[in-house]
Amino acid sequence: MATINQSQHQSQVALTGKDFQNDIYNWLIENIHHDNVSILQPKRLNPVLPNKRRPPHQFFCLQLHTPIGSIIGDTDIVVFDKAGKKPIIIISCKKSIRERLTESLYYKGLYERMYGIRLPLFVVTDDPNLEFGTEKKPRKARILATFENAFVYSTNPKTEVSGCVKYIDSLINDVRRVAAI
């Protein structure tokens, strides 16, 4: 029996996560049509050091420029206002949550501070380990999502929905409502 080393395991996890993200992206594209809104999967950029030429990026407001370099944060899918040339919603797709929710919340806060905009975070997850707990016994992920005004959409029918935690079938209507389309 062959064993999988850590590197192989991480590669497999990354591919599974990318497939999940692509499925959510394609579902959004099929269901949301509006002249003023684009559904995007921003390309990741390698960090750009100061005094180096930044590659052109159509959606410049997704770049985070700091004194020590420029990056694009955790932006799996972005609902983008074409007329206003700004992001409306960040959608983070995670097969499982673990510490990934805190990473998404960090980038949400960073974007809001750097660009002076309110930027809702929608997190889509399979929630295989029921990491949100229940309304009566919330776990860390539910407490953080609630406190930071993030919305969570689970594909797992065993996830207890209440408050900011919803089933995936609410995502399309919530995107339309927040994007005012």
Side-chain angles (χ1 to χ4, degrees), residues 32 34 36-37 39 79-81 88-89 120 122 172-181:
I32 297 179
H34 196 275
N36 292 333
V37 173
I39 309 295
V79 180
F80 194 82
D81 175 353
I88 303 169
I89 302 167
F122 290 4
I172 298 294
N173 287 335
D174 285 357
V175 167
R176 287 183 179 135
R177 179 180 47 78
V178 171
I181 54 174

Side-chain angles (χ1 to χ4, degrees), residues 1-5 8:
M1 182 171 149
T3 60
I4 297 176
N5 68 33
Q8 290 169 323

Side-chain angles (χ1 to χ4, degrees), residues 18 21 41-47 55 57 62-63 70-78 90-94 103-104 107 111:
K18 188 67 174 166
Q21 177 183 324
Q41 282 186 301
K43 289 187 168 114
R44 298 273 189 239
L45 294 178
N46 291 327
H57 191 271
L62 298 174
Q63 291 183 345
S70 300
I71 61 168
I72 289 184
D74 183 22
T75 52
D76 295 332
I77 300 171
V78 176
I90 292 176
I91 301 174
S92 183
C93 302
K94 308 295 179 213
E103 177 187 15
S104 297
Y107 280 112
Y111 277 117

Side-chain angles (χ1 to χ4, degrees), residues 3 10-11 17 19 24-25 32 34 40 43 45-46 48 54 62 67 69 80 85 109 125 140 146 148 150-151 166-167:
T3 60
Q10 285 302 109
S11 294
D19 289 344
I24 299 301
Y25 172 77
I32 297 179
H34 196 275
L40 310 170
K43 289 187 168 114
L45 294 178
N46 291 327
V48 179
R54 293 181 182 119
L62 298 174
F80 194 82
K85 297 185 179 177
T125 181
K140 180 180 176 180
T146 301
E148 292 292 335
F151 291 94
K166 305 176 179 192
Y167 288 125

Side-chain angles (χ1 to χ4, degrees), residues 49-66:
L49 299 175
N51 303 322
K52 298 288 182 184
R53 187 164 180 260
R54 293 181 182 119
H57 191 271
Q58 183 179 4
F59 306 104
F60 66 91
C61 64
L62 298 174
Q63 291 183 345
L64 298 168
H65 305 296
T66 74

Side-chain angles (χ1 to χ4, degrees), residues 3 12 20 28 33 39 46 51 77 109 120 123 137 149 153 169 172 180:
T3 60
Q12 186 177 10
F20 180 68
L28 289 166
H33 308 281
I39 309 295
N46 291 327
N51 303 322
I77 300 171
V123 178
K137 288 188 174 183
N149 297 311
Y153 301 88
D169 57 356
I172 298 294

